[in-house]
Structures are given as structure tokens and as C-alpha cells.
Amino acid sequence: KLTILQKRQTSPGLSLFAGGVAGGVEAATTYPFEFAKTRSQLGSNSPGQTSIWHLVRNVLKTEGISGLYTGCSTLVVGTAFKAGVRFLTFDTIKHALADENGKVSPGRAVLAGSLAGCVESIVAVTPTERLKTALIDDSNSQKRFKGSFHAARVLVAEKGIGNLYRGLATTTVKQAATSAVRMGSYTVLRDASKANSIPQNTLTTFLTGAMAGVITVYSTQPFDTVKTRAQSAAGAGTIEAMLSILRDRGVFGFWAGSTMRLGRLVLSGGIVFSVYENIINIFS
């Protein structure tokens, strides 16, 4: 079976396509978790004052089921694009770092994942995350955006194209850390399962990706929380975002939204790696 660490037989075009499809499926499936996580991070309540589930019930009551999908189309397109870029970049860098037998050490897998995260942040993640976050924040306050394209026009008209790259530094750090931990831990876990003669099937891939998601959430959540505050509708600098989190919620505020992000990344890790590897197998 072809795996993500055996790329000599996988063309860049196929890697980009498979990653894009996997990212789009994952984003559409798990978006309500992302919505609830973002709303939680944008709030100023003390930790535990308003639960995630209360937030979700309130949105369903006041905005209906469609409220949980505010900004979804932006994230689906952005996630499909960024996942394609991530896998293409990861595969290319990993292949360059592989030894003569095509093997990649855990450290080199982490490095490849980190560099892939930096590339995807600049190329795709920052502008789509900025739009998604601004739309979710706006839907809970001024309601001045009519949709993704309208939001993009308004933000660019107000402060130029740079407004879509608000939070670039925090997003790049977050993506580099997330991709490094996610791809690196997946590689280590997958190799461990093979070493212990665990059957390499879709279920194994899903569970391995899910475990990598758990590790990723708790090790990188502070980057995600700062990034979200920086990309709110009003926008904020990195230091300003960090200080506002400390002021509103204290140190534990940096882990705001962990529950919803955990729900998303556990499913996300399982879905994205399973879909990716299955597409690679089919077209190879």
C-alpha cells in the first residue's frame, strides 16, 4: 500500500489534487466545531463562564442551523487550497530529505511539516482565515458583511490588501507548529503501527490521524487563540492580541476553544489522511 512517506511514485499534480479534495471534505464535515471554537476565542468571558455547548445552543436558537455555518464556504475553499499546498510542499521537501532507501527520520518529517506550514500560511491560510474569522465575529456584532466576497471588498477598501493578511506572523507560527506536530506525529505513529504489525487499512489511518490531531491541539492551541484575536473584525496586532487574552481570561485563556478545536482536529486528522491516502491509492 502506498503511504504518505513513499512519494517517489506520486506526482506533484496528484499530491496537490488529493490534498485539496481531502482538505475540502474535512473542512465541510467539521466546520461547526471551527465556528464554535472561533466564537469562544473572540469572547471576553472568563473561562467556564459560558460553556461551548451554551454558545452552540444560543446560536441555534437565534440564528438557526445556518448560523453554525457562517463563513463555511470561505474555509472550505481555503482549506482545500491549503491542504493541497501543504501535502505538495511536505511531499517535495520530505522527498528531498529522504535517505537512499526513501526513509525519513521523525526529525526530518517535523522539519518538512514545519516548512510546509510556513508555505501554506503565506499562500493560502492567512487571507482565508482572516475572512472566516471576520465573518464569524461580524455575525455576532455589527452584521455589516453580506458574504465572503463582500467582506473581502470591504476589508481591502478600508485598509488595502494588507488587511487580508492581518495576523500573518501569528498565523505562520501557528501553521508551522501545527503542520510540524501533525505531520511529524502522524509519521511516528504510523511507523510505530507498522513496526507492531498493525494492519495498514483505512481504520488504522483514521485512528492514527485522529491521535495526531489530539497531540496537535494541546501543543499548539495558544498560537491559534492569538491568531484568532489578531484576525477579529476590528483586527489587532500580535502583542495587542496577547495582552487582550491575558486581560480578559488570564493564562488559561490561551487554551480557549480547545474542546471544539479538539473535536475538529480529531475528526480532521482522521478524515484528511484517510481521504488523501485513498485518493493516492486509487489514482496510482
Side-chain angles (χ1 to χ4, degrees), residues 146-248:
K146 299 176 182 178
S148 300
F149 290 109
H150 180 253
R153 288 198 302 270
V154 171
L155 292 175
V156 171
E158 288 178 344
K159 297 182 180 180
I161 191 67
N163 204 10
L164 292 180
Y165 278 85
R166 171 78 70 172
L168 174 62
T170 52
T171 302
T172 301
V173 171
K174 177 245 181 179
Q175 287 304 126
T178 297
S179 188
V181 174
R182 195 179 199 184
M183 305 299 263
S185 59
Y186 177 81
T187 298
V188 172
L189 291 169
R190 189 192 63 81
D191 287 349
S193 70
K194 292 180 69 175
N196 287 279
S197 301
I198 297 175
Q200 299 301 298
N201 51 36
T202 300
L203 178 60
T204 301
T205 301
F206 186 94
L207 293 176
T208 302
M211 286 188 285
V214 174
I215 296 170
T216 302
V217 167
Y218 290 107
S219 59
T220 65
Q221 185 65 19
F223 299 118
D224 187 74
T225 302
V226 173
K227 182 270 302 178
T228 299
R229 280 292 180 102
Q231 293 182 325
S232 63
T238 302
I239 301 301
E240 182 185 352
M242 292 175 66
L243 292 176
S244 71
I245 293 168
L246 284 171
R247 181 183 64 249
D248 294 339

Side-chain angles (χ1 to χ4, degrees), residues 15-26:
S15 184
L16 181 66
F17 171 72
V21 173
V25 171
E26 172 264 314

Side-chain angles (χ1 to χ4, degrees), residues 59-76:
V59 170
L60 288 172
K61 181 179 179 180
T62 58
E63 303 175 43
I65 188 68
S66 62
L68 292 178
Y69 286 87
T70 300
C72 181
S73 60
T74 300
L75 191 70
V76 168

Side-chain angles (χ1 to χ4, degrees), residues 81-206:
F81 184 35
K82 79 175 182 181
V85 171
R86 179 197 310 141
F87 276 102
L88 173 60
T89 307
F90 178 74
D91 292 344
T92 302
I93 297 173
K94 177 202 60 59
H95 178 67
L97 296 176
D99 60 22
E100 62 274 10
N101 297 314
K103 299 292 184 180
V104 180
S105 68
R108 291 186 176 188
V110 169
L111 175 60
S114 178
L115 293 174
C118 290
V119 173
E120 69 173 315
S121 172
I122 297 170
V123 173
V125 179
T126 301
T128 54
E129 282 283 317
R130 166 65 163 141
L131 284 174
K132 180 265 300 181
T133 302
L135 283 164
I136 292 175
D137 190 22
D138 179 72
S139 70
N140 193 38
S141 54
Q142 300 180 48
K143 295 182 172 58
R144 62 187 183 125
F145 299 144
K146 299 176 182 178
S148 300
F149 290 109
H150 180 253
R153 288 198 302 270
V154 171
L155 292 175
V156 171
E158 288 178 344
K159 297 182 180 180
I161 191 67
N163 204 10
L164 292 180
Y165 278 85
R166 171 78 70 172
L168 174 62
T170 52
T171 302
T172 301
V173 171
K174 177 245 181 179
Q175 287 304 126
T178 297
S179 188
V181 174
R182 195 179 199 184
M183 305 299 263
S185 59
Y186 177 81
T187 298
V188 172
L189 291 169
R190 189 192 63 81
D191 287 349
S193 70
K194 292 180 69 175
N196 287 279
S197 301
I198 297 175
Q200 299 301 298
N201 51 36
T202 300
L203 178 60
T204 301
T205 301
F206 186 94

